[in-house]
Amino acid sequence: MRKEETVKILLRNKLSLIGLAIIAGLILMAILAPVLAPYPDQALGEPNLQERLQPPSRTHLFGTDHMGRDILSRVIYGARTSLLMGFSVVALALLIGVPLGLMAGYFSGKTDLVIMRITDIFLAFPPLLLALLIATSLGRGMMNAIVALAISWWPWYTRLARGMAISVKERPYVEASKAMGISDWKIMLRHVLPNSLSPIIVQATMDMGSAILEAAALSFLGLGVQPPTPDWGLMVSEGKDYFLNYWWYPVFPGLAIFITVMAFNLLGDAVREVIDPRLRRRLL
């Protein structure tokens, strides 16, 4: 698709532009956190007890927490943790699910039967519940939370990749490649995978927000990021006991989660409009 058409579609959807701008801002904020954070040391966990639970003011725009740490600084640094976890979960789920789905759809037969029955076992559990069980078994920590979420998510990409592989492998250019004696693995890499990526990319983009939300949920429950590492879910968990009297403590990290998830959902809609030929024709 031409760049002019992509730009035209994006410009027609103002909400998508807002989502893209928010995500770009979050990534920039995460990269420049040491520069943007008013109190970098407090963001990394240094206590400041003489200013604990201060309301929003010029000195502390988002107020302070129970340890006197600047909440704005911790929210800024928390973008690093949340985005890293979101990207890592989706990337790991793709690395596991897409190859398995392609093999199941392309080879069919016993390969398809074995892979899909294992997939069905994982799909029998709600993703967050399965992630909780795995995280509890692995122990607390950010890396364990990432692994737990990725293990609970890969089956969805397996089913999606399998469906696309079944469709693509029947196309004439794949049959021609087989007739020329090209190996199955080369056909999968050169033809099946590239022509199966569009819906996978759309799904992965929309899943980023959900991955960040579920990672925050694990941190909220004490199974994800551990203190004093700045993390939005952990900050909400620490602030929930202070909500009635010190509302700013859980509200600002909660808003950060809400805005980020919304932005990725808006971006996912934009990617779908750009990639899906039927939607693209309708919008143009």
Side-chain angles (χ1 to χ4, degrees), residues 4 22-23 38 49 70 72-73 81 85-86 120 131 154 168 171 176 196 213 227 230 232:
E4 295 81 0
I22 292 173
I23 292 170
L49 296 177
D70 182 65
L72 173 60
S73 299
T81 307
M85 291 188 73
D120 289 340
W154 68 265
V168 172
R171 295 180 184 176
S196 302
L213 183 61
W232 295 338

Side-chain angles (χ1 to χ4, degrees), residues 178-242:
K178 291 180 180 178
M180 294 171 61
I182 299 176
S183 69
D184 290 328
W185 294 105
K186 286 185 177 180
I187 293 174
M188 288 175 61
L189 289 175
R190 293 179 182 179
H191 299 295
V192 180
L193 177 59
N195 288 283
S196 302
L197 282 179
S198 294
I200 295 173
I201 292 173
V202 173
Q203 188 63 46
T205 305
M206 299 190 74
D207 281 348
M208 273 294 304
S210 299
I212 291 173
L213 183 61
E214 293 199 6
L218 290 182
S219 296
F220 181 87
L221 296 171
L223 296 172
V225 176
Q226 299 298 301
T229 304
D231 176 77
W232 295 338
L234 180 60
M235 292 172 69
V236 174
S237 177
E238 292 174 341
K240 69 180 186 301
D241 296 331
Y242 299 90

Side-chain angles (χ1 to χ4, degrees), residues 1-18 20 270-271 273-275 280 283-284:
M1 182 177 62
R2 293 180 301 176
K3 292 182 179 179
E4 295 81 0
E5 294 179 353
T6 302
V7 173
K8 185 178 179 180
I9 292 173
L10 290 175
L11 290 177
R12 291 185 64 173
N13 192 334
K14 304 301 182 184
L15 290 177
S16 299
L17 289 177
I18 293 173
L20 183 60
V271 172
E273 291 175 354
V274 169
I275 291 179
R280 190 166 66 240
L283 292 171
L284 292 174

